mmCIF file of all heavy atoms in Angstrom:
data_model
loop_
_atom_site.group_PDB
_atom_site.id
_atom_site.type_symbol
_atom_site.label_atom_id
_atom_site.label_comp_id
_atom_site.label_asym_id
_atom_site.label_seq_id
_atom_site.Cartn_x
_atom_site.Cartn_y
_atom_site.Cartn_z
ATOM 1 N N PHE D 284 49.440 9.865 34.096
ATOM 2 C CA PHE D 284 48.114 10.168 33.564
ATOM 3 C C PHE D 284 47.384 8.881 33.195
ATOM 4 O O PHE D 284 48.002 7.899 32.790
ATOM 5 C CB PHE D 284 48.234 11.096 32.359
ATOM 6 C CG PHE D 284 48.826 12.429 32.709
ATOM 7 C CD1 PHE D 284 50.188 12.644 32.610
ATOM 8 C CD2 PHE D 284 48.027 13.456 33.183
ATOM 9 C CE1 PHE D 284 50.748 13.861 32.955
ATOM 10 C CE2 PHE D 284 48.578 14.674 33.535
ATOM 11 C CZ PHE D 284 49.936 14.879 33.424
ATOM 12 N N GLY D 285 46.073 8.910 33.353
ATOM 13 C CA GLY D 285 45.276 7.701 33.136
ATOM 14 C C GLY D 285 44.932 7.439 31.692
ATOM 15 O O GLY D 285 43.794 7.083 31.370
ATOM 16 N N VAL D 286 45.886 7.632 30.797
ATOM 17 C CA VAL D 286 45.686 7.357 29.373
ATOM 18 C C VAL D 286 46.873 6.551 28.873
ATOM 19 O O VAL D 286 47.922 6.496 29.512
ATOM 20 C CB VAL D 286 45.559 8.665 28.543
ATOM 21 C CG1 VAL D 286 44.379 9.491 29.019
ATOM 22 C CG2 VAL D 286 46.838 9.492 28.633
ATOM 23 N N ARG D 287 46.707 5.908 27.753
ATOM 24 C CA ARG D 287 47.811 5.174 27.130
ATOM 25 C C ARG D 287 47.865 5.569 25.658
ATOM 26 O O ARG D 287 46.870 5.479 24.941
ATOM 27 C CB ARG D 287 47.611 3.664 27.272
ATOM 28 C CG ARG D 287 48.875 2.863 26.937
ATOM 29 C CD ARG D 287 48.626 1.367 27.125
ATOM 30 N NE ARG D 287 48.309 1.024 28.491
ATOM 31 C CZ ARG D 287 49.217 0.765 29.426
ATOM 32 N NH1 ARG D 287 50.505 0.843 29.141
ATOM 33 N NH2 ARG D 287 48.845 0.453 30.659
ATOM 34 N N LEU D 288 49.038 6.055 25.224
ATOM 35 C CA LEU D 288 49.213 6.543 23.862
ATOM 36 C C LEU D 288 50.189 5.651 23.110
ATOM 37 O O LEU D 288 51.146 5.136 23.691
ATOM 38 C CB LEU D 288 49.738 7.982 23.869
ATOM 39 C CG LEU D 288 48.885 9.005 24.636
ATOM 40 C CD1 LEU D 288 49.596 10.354 24.667
ATOM 41 C CD2 LEU D 288 47.512 9.141 24.015
ATOM 42 N N ALA D 289 49.940 5.487 21.820
ATOM 43 C CA ALA D 289 50.814 4.650 21.003
ATOM 44 C C ALA D 289 52.172 5.318 20.841
ATOM 45 O O ALA D 289 52.278 6.546 20.748
ATOM 46 C CB ALA D 289 50.185 4.416 19.629
ATOM 47 N N ALA D 290 53.216 4.493 20.822
ATOM 48 C CA ALA D 290 54.576 5.008 20.634
ATOM 49 C C ALA D 290 54.652 5.786 19.322
ATOM 50 O O ALA D 290 54.191 5.323 18.280
ATOM 51 C CB ALA D 290 55.575 3.858 20.635
ATOM 52 N N GLY D 291 55.230 6.979 19.387
ATOM 53 C CA GLY D 291 55.383 7.800 18.195
ATOM 54 C C GLY D 291 54.119 8.485 17.734
ATOM 55 O O GLY D 291 54.122 9.134 16.680
ATOM 56 N N SER D 292 53.045 8.369 18.500
ATOM 57 C CA SER D 292 51.775 8.975 18.101
ATOM 58 C C SER D 292 51.854 10.493 18.201
ATOM 59 O O SER D 292 52.682 11.051 18.926
ATOM 60 C CB SER D 292 50.632 8.462 18.976
ATOM 61 O OG SER D 292 50.815 8.877 20.322
ATOM 62 N N GLU D 293 50.967 11.162 17.480
ATOM 63 C CA GLU D 293 50.954 12.621 17.501
ATOM 64 C C GLU D 293 50.689 13.128 18.917
ATOM 65 O O GLU D 293 51.300 14.112 19.357
ATOM 66 C CB GLU D 293 49.873 13.145 16.551
ATOM 67 C CG GLU D 293 49.787 14.668 16.523
ATOM 68 C CD GLU D 293 48.691 15.177 15.610
ATOM 69 O OE1 GLU D 293 48.096 14.347 14.881
ATOM 70 O OE2 GLU D 293 48.422 16.396 15.635
ATOM 71 N N GLY D 294 49.796 12.444 19.649
ATOM 72 C CA GLY D 294 49.486 12.874 21.009
ATOM 73 C C GLY D 294 50.694 12.823 21.919
ATOM 74 O O GLY D 294 50.914 13.723 22.737
ATOM 75 N N LEU D 295 51.504 11.767 21.798
ATOM 76 C CA LEU D 295 52.685 11.622 22.641
ATOM 77 C C LEU D 295 53.741 12.666 22.275
ATOM 78 O O LEU D 295 54.390 13.244 23.155
ATOM 79 C CB LEU D 295 53.254 10.215 22.507
ATOM 80 C CG LEU D 295 54.242 9.758 23.583
ATOM 81 C CD1 LEU D 295 53.648 9.922 24.979
ATOM 82 C CD2 LEU D 295 54.643 8.308 23.346
ATOM 83 N N VAL D 296 53.896 12.919 20.987
ATOM 84 C CA VAL D 296 54.858 13.924 20.539
ATOM 85 C C VAL D 296 54.446 15.305 21.045
ATOM 86 O O VAL D 296 55.276 16.089 21.528
ATOM 87 C CB VAL D 296 54.961 13.926 19.004
ATOM 88 C CG1 VAL D 296 55.782 15.121 18.515
ATOM 89 C CG2 VAL D 296 55.595 12.622 18.511
ATOM 90 N N ARG D 297 53.150 15.622 20.955
ATOM 91 C CA ARG D 297 52.645 16.906 21.452
ATOM 92 C C ARG D 297 52.851 17.020 22.949
ATOM 93 O O ARG D 297 53.206 18.084 23.462
ATOM 94 C CB ARG D 297 51.165 17.058 21.117
ATOM 95 C CG ARG D 297 50.864 17.350 19.659
ATOM 96 C CD ARG D 297 49.377 17.545 19.460
ATOM 97 N NE ARG D 297 48.869 18.640 20.286
ATOM 98 C CZ ARG D 297 47.620 18.693 20.765
ATOM 99 N NH1 ARG D 297 46.775 17.706 20.539
ATOM 100 N NH2 ARG D 297 47.241 19.729 21.479
ATOM 101 N N PHE D 298 52.609 15.932 23.683
ATOM 102 C CA PHE D 298 52.786 15.941 25.136
ATOM 103 C C PHE D 298 54.232 16.259 25.496
ATOM 104 O O PHE D 298 54.499 17.076 26.382
ATOM 105 C CB PHE D 298 52.378 14.582 25.712
ATOM 106 C CG PHE D 298 52.780 14.388 27.146
ATOM 107 C CD1 PHE D 298 52.121 15.051 28.167
ATOM 108 C CD2 PHE D 298 53.832 13.544 27.479
ATOM 109 C CE1 PHE D 298 52.506 14.880 29.494
ATOM 110 C CE2 PHE D 298 54.219 13.364 28.798
ATOM 111 C CZ PHE D 298 53.546 14.036 29.812
ATOM 112 N N GLN D 299 55.179 15.628 24.820
ATOM 113 C CA GLN D 299 56.586 15.858 25.124
ATOM 114 C C GLN D 299 57.010 17.281 24.762
ATOM 115 O O GLN D 299 57.766 17.921 25.501
ATOM 116 C CB GLN D 299 57.445 14.821 24.400
ATOM 117 C CG GLN D 299 57.243 13.409 24.936
ATOM 118 C CD GLN D 299 57.963 12.359 24.122
ATOM 119 O OE1 GLN D 299 58.240 12.552 22.950
ATOM 120 N NE2 GLN D 299 58.252 11.229 24.747
ATOM 121 N N ARG D 300 56.483 17.783 23.639
ATOM 122 C CA ARG D 300 56.821 19.157 23.243
ATOM 123 C C ARG D 300 56.235 20.160 24.240
ATOM 124 O O ARG D 300 56.908 21.103 24.667
ATOM 125 C CB ARG D 300 56.275 19.426 21.836
ATOM 126 C CG ARG D 300 56.636 20.817 21.300
ATOM 127 C CD ARG D 300 56.268 20.960 19.824
ATOM 128 N NE ARG D 300 54.836 20.814 19.607
ATOM 129 C CZ ARG D 300 54.287 19.858 18.862
ATOM 130 N NH1 ARG D 300 55.059 18.944 18.277
ATOM 131 N NH2 ARG D 300 52.991 19.806 18.697
ATOM 132 N N GLU D 301 54.996 19.952 24.627
ATOM 133 C CA GLU D 301 54.338 20.833 25.583
ATOM 134 C C GLU D 301 55.045 20.794 26.944
ATOM 135 O O GLU D 301 55.239 21.820 27.600
ATOM 136 C CB GLU D 301 52.886 20.388 25.741
ATOM 137 C CG GLU D 301 52.050 21.226 26.668
ATOM 138 C CD GLU D 301 50.627 20.701 26.754
ATOM 139 O OE1 GLU D 301 50.296 19.705 26.087
ATOM 140 O OE2 GLU D 301 49.854 21.301 27.517
ATOM 141 N N SER D 302 55.470 19.591 27.351
ATOM 142 C CA SER D 302 56.125 19.427 28.645
ATOM 143 C C SER D 302 57.486 20.109 28.664
ATOM 144 O O SER D 302 57.902 20.656 29.691
ATOM 145 C CB SER D 302 56.270 17.937 28.976
ATOM 146 O OG SER D 302 55.003 17.320 29.049
ATOM 147 N N ARG D 303 58.201 20.066 27.538
ATOM 148 C CA ARG D 303 59.481 20.780 27.463
ATOM 149 C C ARG D 303 59.271 22.273 27.678
ATOM 150 O O ARG D 303 60.060 22.941 28.344
ATOM 151 C CB ARG D 303 60.167 20.522 26.116
ATOM 152 C CG ARG D 303 61.024 19.277 26.090
ATOM 153 C CD ARG D 303 61.937 19.277 24.887
ATOM 154 N NE ARG D 303 61.193 19.193 23.640
ATOM 155 C CZ ARG D 303 60.840 18.044 23.062
ATOM 156 N NH1 ARG D 303 61.156 16.895 23.633
ATOM 157 N NH2 ARG D 303 60.168 18.035 21.934
ATOM 158 N N PHE D 304 58.188 22.796 27.100
ATOM 159 C CA PHE D 304 57.867 24.210 27.264
ATOM 160 C C PHE D 304 57.590 24.517 28.733
ATOM 161 O O PHE D 304 58.120 25.475 29.303
ATOM 162 C CB PHE D 304 56.657 24.554 26.395
ATOM 163 C CG PHE D 304 56.247 26.002 26.451
ATOM 164 C CD1 PHE D 304 57.181 27.016 26.313
ATOM 165 C CD2 PHE D 304 54.919 26.341 26.622
ATOM 166 C CE1 PHE D 304 56.795 28.350 26.351
ATOM 167 C CE2 PHE D 304 54.524 27.666 26.666
ATOM 168 C CZ PHE D 304 55.459 28.678 26.527
ATOM 169 N N LEU D 305 56.788 23.678 29.388
ATOM 170 C CA LEU D 305 56.487 23.887 30.806
ATOM 171 C C LEU D 305 57.753 23.775 31.657
ATOM 172 O O LEU D 305 57.908 24.466 32.659
ATOM 173 C CB LEU D 305 55.458 22.859 31.288
ATOM 174 C CG LEU D 305 54.056 22.979 30.688
ATOM 175 C CD1 LEU D 305 53.197 21.802 31.130
ATOM 176 C CD2 LEU D 305 53.403 24.293 31.083
ATOM 177 N N GLY D 306 58.663 22.902 31.244
ATOM 178 C CA GLY D 306 59.896 22.713 31.994
ATOM 179 C C GLY D 306 60.815 23.919 31.963
ATOM 180 O O GLY D 306 61.725 24.020 32.779
ATOM 181 N N SER D 307 60.570 24.829 31.034
ATOM 182 C CA SER D 307 61.396 26.034 30.961
ATOM 183 C C SER D 307 60.935 27.104 31.943
ATOM 184 O O SER D 307 61.622 28.102 32.139
ATOM 185 C CB SER D 307 61.377 26.603 29.536
ATOM 186 O OG SER D 307 60.104 27.152 29.226
ATOM 187 N N PHE D 308 59.788 26.887 32.580
ATOM 188 C CA PHE D 308 59.246 27.903 33.486
ATOM 189 C C PHE D 308 60.002 27.886 34.813
ATOM 190 O O PHE D 308 60.177 26.823 35.419
ATOM 191 C CB PHE D 308 57.762 27.647 33.765
ATOM 192 C CG PHE D 308 56.857 27.884 32.586
ATOM 193 C CD1 PHE D 308 57.363 28.280 31.364
ATOM 194 C CD2 PHE D 308 55.493 27.700 32.713
ATOM 195 C CE1 PHE D 308 56.531 28.491 30.272
ATOM 196 C CE2 PHE D 308 54.644 27.914 31.635
ATOM 197 C CZ PHE D 308 55.162 28.313 30.416
ATOM 198 N N LYS D 309 60.401 29.057 35.278
ATOM 199 C CA LYS D 309 61.070 29.195 36.575
ATOM 200 C C LYS D 309 60.488 30.405 37.287
ATOM 201 O O LYS D 309 60.706 31.542 36.871
ATOM 202 C CB LYS D 309 62.589 29.362 36.388
ATOM 203 C CG LYS D 309 63.266 28.139 35.822
ATOM 204 C CD LYS D 309 64.762 28.359 35.686
ATOM 205 C CE LYS D 309 65.448 27.139 35.083
ATOM 206 N NZ LYS D 309 66.902 27.327 34.925
ATOM 207 N N HIS D 310 59.738 30.120 38.339
ATOM 208 C CA HIS D 310 59.105 31.186 39.101
ATOM 209 C C HIS D 310 58.971 30.715 40.549
ATOM 210 O O HIS D 310 58.728 29.539 40.802
ATOM 211 C CB HIS D 310 57.724 31.508 38.516
ATOM 212 C CG HIS D 310 57.088 32.728 39.103
ATOM 213 N ND1 HIS D 310 56.387 32.700 40.292
ATOM 214 C CD2 HIS D 310 57.038 34.024 38.668
ATOM 215 C CE1 HIS D 310 55.936 33.913 40.562
ATOM 216 N NE2 HIS D 310 56.323 34.733 39.597
ATOM 217 N N ASP D 311 59.142 31.649 41.490
ATOM 218 C CA ASP D 311 59.122 31.286 42.907
ATOM 219 C C ASP D 311 57.818 30.634 43.345
ATOM 220 O O ASP D 311 57.793 29.881 44.313
ATOM 221 C CB ASP D 311 59.372 32.521 43.776
ATOM 222 C CG ASP D 311 60.812 32.992 43.695
ATOM 223 O OD1 ASP D 311 61.695 32.141 43.449
ATOM 224 O OD2 ASP D 311 61.052 34.191 43.868
ATOM 225 N N HIS D 312 56.721 30.904 42.641
ATOM 226 C CA HIS D 312 55.425 30.396 43.068
ATOM 227 C C HIS D 312 54.806 29.408 42.087
ATOM 228 O O HIS D 312 53.603 29.162 42.115
ATOM 229 C CB HIS D 312 54.467 31.560 43.343
ATOM 230 C CG HIS D 312 55.011 32.525 44.350
ATOM 231 N ND1 HIS D 312 55.363 32.139 45.626
ATOM 232 C CD2 HIS D 312 55.305 33.848 44.269
ATOM 233 C CE1 HIS D 312 55.831 33.183 46.286
ATOM 234 N NE2 HIS D 312 55.821 34.220 45.480
ATOM 235 N N LEU D 313 55.643 28.845 41.239
ATOM 236 C CA LEU D 313 55.205 27.779 40.336
ATOM 237 C C LEU D 313 55.930 26.493 40.698
ATOM 238 O O LEU D 313 57.136 26.500 40.955
ATOM 239 C CB LEU D 313 55.535 28.115 38.880
ATOM 240 C CG LEU D 313 54.588 29.032 38.106
ATOM 241 C CD1 LEU D 313 55.153 29.258 36.701
ATOM 242 C CD2 LEU D 313 53.193 28.454 38.027
ATOM 243 N N VAL D 314 55.204 25.385 40.707
ATOM 244 C CA VAL D 314 55.843 24.083 40.889
ATOM 245 C C VAL D 314 56.637 23.770 39.616
ATOM 246 O O VAL D 314 56.100 23.853 38.505
ATOM 247 C CB VAL D 314 54.791 22.992 41.141
ATOM 248 C CG1 VAL D 314 55.439 21.611 41.164
ATOM 249 C CG2 VAL D 314 54.067 23.246 42.463
ATOM 250 N N ARG D 315 57.908 23.425 39.778
ATOM 251 C CA ARG D 315 58.760 23.135 38.623
ATOM 252 C C ARG D 315 58.430 21.782 38.004
ATOM 253 O O ARG D 315 58.095 20.827 38.697
ATOM 254 C CB ARG D 315 60.236 23.116 39.062
ATOM 255 C CG ARG D 315 60.790 24.472 39.446
ATOM 256 C CD ARG D 315 61.058 25.362 38.252
ATOM 257 N NE ARG D 315 61.874 24.703 37.257
ATOM 258 C CZ ARG D 315 63.207 24.595 37.308
ATOM 259 N NH1 ARG D 315 63.865 25.095 38.332
ATOM 260 N NH2 ARG D 315 63.867 23.994 36.351
ATOM 261 N N VAL D 316 58.534 21.712 36.695
ATOM 262 C CA VAL D 316 58.452 20.447 35.959
ATOM 263 C C VAL D 316 59.880 20.050 35.611
ATOM 264 O O VAL D 316 60.584 20.777 34.917
ATOM 265 C CB VAL D 316 57.607 20.590 34.677
ATOM 266 C CG1 VAL D 316 57.657 19.310 33.858
ATOM 267 C CG2 VAL D 316 56.162 20.934 35.027
ATOM 268 N N PHE D 317 60.331 18.898 36.118
ATOM 269 C CA PHE D 317 61.706 18.466 35.909
ATOM 270 C C PHE D 317 61.865 17.555 34.699
ATOM 271 O O PHE D 317 62.875 17.587 34.007
ATOM 272 C CB PHE D 317 62.211 17.715 37.145
ATOM 273 C CG PHE D 317 62.379 18.571 38.361
ATOM 274 C CD1 PHE D 317 61.931 18.122 39.597
ATOM 275 C CD2 PHE D 317 62.970 19.817 38.299
ATOM 276 C CE1 PHE D 317 62.082 18.905 40.738
ATOM 277 C CE2 PHE D 317 63.132 20.607 39.431
ATOM 278 C CZ PHE D 317 62.681 20.142 40.654
ATOM 279 N N ALA D 318 60.900 16.668 34.490
ATOM 280 C CA ALA D 318 61.053 15.676 33.425
ATOM 281 C C ALA D 318 59.686 15.212 32.953
ATOM 282 O O ALA D 318 58.687 15.339 33.666
ATOM 283 C CB ALA D 318 61.860 14.468 33.931
ATOM 284 N N ALA D 319 59.654 14.693 31.741
ATOM 285 C CA ALA D 319 58.423 14.152 31.175
ATOM 286 C C ALA D 319 58.779 12.997 30.266
ATOM 287 O O ALA D 319 59.878 12.925 29.722
ATOM 288 C CB ALA D 319 57.669 15.231 30.397
ATOM 289 N N GLY D 320 57.844 12.100 30.091
ATOM 290 C CA GLY D 320 58.069 10.963 29.214
ATOM 291 C C GLY D 320 56.896 10.026 29.295
ATOM 292 O O GLY D 320 55.769 10.452 29.587
ATOM 293 N N ASP D 321 57.142 8.752 29.061
ATOM 294 C CA ASP D 321 56.054 7.780 29.169
ATOM 295 C C ASP D 321 56.620 6.435 29.605
ATOM 296 O O ASP D 321 57.773 6.108 29.335
ATOM 297 C CB ASP D 321 55.296 7.637 27.846
ATOM 298 C CG ASP D 321 56.124 6.920 26.782
ATOM 299 O OD1 ASP D 321 57.046 7.554 26.214
ATOM 300 O OD2 ASP D 321 55.874 5.723 26.545
ATOM 301 N N PHE D 322 55.800 5.685 30.310
ATOM 302 C CA PHE D 322 56.103 4.315 30.690
ATOM 303 C C PHE D 322 55.131 3.423 29.923
ATOM 304 O O PHE D 322 53.933 3.401 30.224
ATOM 305 C CB PHE D 322 55.938 4.093 32.197
ATOM 306 C CG PHE D 322 56.828 4.962 33.045
ATOM 307 C CD1 PHE D 322 56.289 5.891 33.911
ATOM 308 C CD2 PHE D 322 58.217 4.848 32.980
ATOM 309 C CE1 PHE D 322 57.103 6.680 34.706
ATOM 310 C CE2 PHE D 322 59.046 5.638 33.767
ATOM 311 C CZ PHE D 322 58.479 6.567 34.633
ATOM 312 N N ASP D 323 55.635 2.736 28.885
ATOM 313 C CA ASP D 323 54.780 1.880 28.046
ATOM 314 C C ASP D 323 53.553 2.629 27.548
ATOM 315 O O ASP D 323 52.437 2.093 27.540
ATOM 316 C CB ASP D 323 54.348 0.629 28.822
ATOM 317 C CG ASP D 323 55.523 -0.275 29.151
ATOM 318 O OD1 ASP D 323 56.471 -0.319 28.354
ATOM 319 O OD2 ASP D 323 55.488 -0.907 30.219
ATOM 320 N N GLY D 324 53.746 3.867 27.122
ATOM 321 C CA GLY D 324 52.650 4.635 26.545
ATOM 322 C C GLY D 324 51.850 5.452 27.537
ATOM 323 O O GLY D 324 50.985 6.241 27.142
ATOM 324 N N VAL D 325 52.110 5.292 28.840
ATOM 325 C CA VAL D 325 51.417 6.082 29.868
ATOM 326 C C VAL D 325 52.254 7.332 30.150
ATOM 327 O O VAL D 325 53.365 7.218 30.687
ATOM 328 C CB VAL D 325 51.215 5.275 31.165
ATOM 329 C CG1 VAL D 325 50.569 6.151 32.240
ATOM 330 C CG2 VAL D 325 50.358 4.042 30.894
ATOM 331 N N PRO D 326 51.762 8.520 29.798
ATOM 332 C CA PRO D 326 52.561 9.738 29.985
ATOM 333 C C PRO D 326 52.764 10.059 31.463
ATOM 334 O O PRO D 326 51.909 9.751 32.297
ATOM 335 C CB PRO D 326 51.707 10.829 29.314
ATOM 336 C CG PRO D 326 50.725 10.093 28.455
ATOM 337 C CD PRO D 326 50.473 8.795 29.154
#
């Protein structure tokens, strides 16, 4: 994503929590989310 978030910021924590939720989805017609994180603040 074209944003950069500070380490430990509320936005980054929310992103990781939201991504974990999306990663639990399993459906034949949904693209799976395998992993989420950040590279130097870039999610």
Side-chain angles (χ1 to χ4, degrees):
F284 297 92
V286 300
R287 193 179 297 274
L288 303 175
S292 65
E293 180 182 352
L295 196 54
V296 171
R297 286 183 59 210
F298 168 73
Q299 292 173 335
R300 183 171 62 242
E301 182 180 359
S302 299
R303 273 195 295 272
F304 181 48
L305 293 173
S307 70
F308 291 1
K309 294 181 181 179
H310 189 277
D311 288 332
H312 304 302
L313 278 178
V314 173
R315 291 285 308 279
V316 174
F317 292 136
D321 71 284
F322 300 117
D323 294 328
V325 177

